[in-house]
Amino acid sequence: WSNADLVDNVVAYLPLPAIADLPMLCRRRRDEQPALEFRLARRHNTLRASRRKFLDEIRATGRDLRLSRFDGSVLSAWYRFEREDTEYRMVTVGGSSCIQITTIEGQGHDRGLQMQFDLEIHRVHRIRYRFSFTDSRRAESFDNVHNYGFAYLSLCNLDEDGVSGLMVSPGDDGNYELAFLMPEYEGARSVANVEEDTWYTVTMNFDWATHRVRIGLAIPGRNIGEECFPFEPSLLHRITIYNFSPSVSRYSDMEVIYPASLASPPPGTV
């Protein structure tokens, strides 16, 4: 590794995971790793796309914006739809505090916890949260997959625009999937398969220049999947978390990043 002339030739034969591990094996590679990765991207004609994604990750930190943060990790931060068939609690799971929404009976979108912005349109920059879910009626769910859904994160006005955002639904193949919904879509767009009682981290980065949202799903130590979809900016008025059908969903580390000029909502009860 001390002979720089051989680095490119050796790296050409290494699998990508091994290249990612090089800085841990060789001190000299730590400083040279970024240049090495760019040379590798240039060799495979992906330099432009790689550079764009690299800058997107930096942009997602809010480097070029004055951003504010809504912390939705506690019940007091949300408006609450009071219903007899839905319970809201703060619980501790695996040593971490989280919001738990238990839907006992019925089906529908008019429930859950909601945050709403003072202005009509908010240029939400990033949404990140952790979630897990438990299907209370697994057999019934897979018998009628179109009438069951859990762990919703809705990004629209529920009584005007229909449902947009993320949800977990049972699939025809016997697996649960995290899916992205928009009124313009004919059906949901799959992000990745998910399992009950497993914690996932979701990151949604919104690009307002192209009106596309990049959605990443991960568990500790591993990325599960990443997809990019178009979105309708006028739908980002409210954010609601809820279950459509009987189930238990849990949310933690919820944060919404948006421009500092737009005020966050006060707590209250609907």
Side-chain angles (χ1 to χ4, degrees), residues 11-78:
V11 167
Y13 291 95
L14 291 176
L16 294 179
I19 294 175
D21 290 340
L22 284 179
M24 294 185 293
L25 303 176
C26 178
R27 179 174 298 178
R28 180 172 179 175
R29 297 273 68 77
R30 296 173 191 173
D31 295 334
E32 298 180 2
Q33 185 76 359
L36 173 63
E37 292 173 352
F38 271 88
R39 291 201 299 269
L40 186 64
R42 182 182 293 112
R43 172 177 295 191
H44 293 278
N45 297 317
T46 61
L47 181 58
R48 178 175 297 181
S50 299
R51 183 185 293 116
R52 184 183 300 115
K53 189 169 184 178
F54 175 74
L55 294 176
D56 284 346
E57 290 295 329
I58 297 177
R59 186 178 298 111
T61 67
R63 176 187 180 275
D64 295 336
L65 297 172
R66 290 184 59 248
L67 298 175
S68 291
R69 175 179 180 268
F70 167 77
D71 183 357
S73 300
V74 294
L75 279 173
S76 59
W78 298 84

Side-chain angles (χ1 to χ4, degrees), residues 107-140:
Q107 296 172 327
H109 298 290
D110 55 341
R111 61 187 72 198
L113 302 173
Q114 185 177 95
M115 64 167 292
Q116 56 186 353
F117 297 108
D118 294 336
L119 301 184
E120 187 176 31
I121 295 178
H122 264 255
R123 289 179 174 265
V124 174
H125 185 62
R126 185 181 69 219
I127 299 173
R128 177 176 292 163
Y129 66 100
R130 297 174 65 240
F131 82 95
S132 70
F133 71 97
T134 303
D135 184 356
S136 303
R137 300 181 181 178
R138 181 181 177 89
E140 296 178 21

Side-chain angles (χ1 to χ4, degrees), residues 132-158:
S132 70
F133 71 97
T134 303
D135 184 356
S136 303
R137 300 181 181 178
R138 181 181 177 89
E140 296 178 21
S141 297
F142 284 102
D143 285 341
N144 194 356
V145 297
H146 299 294
N147 288 329
Y148 286 82
F150 334 107
Y152 271 74
L153 180 91
S154 174
L155 304 176
C156 67
N157 188 328
L158 295 178

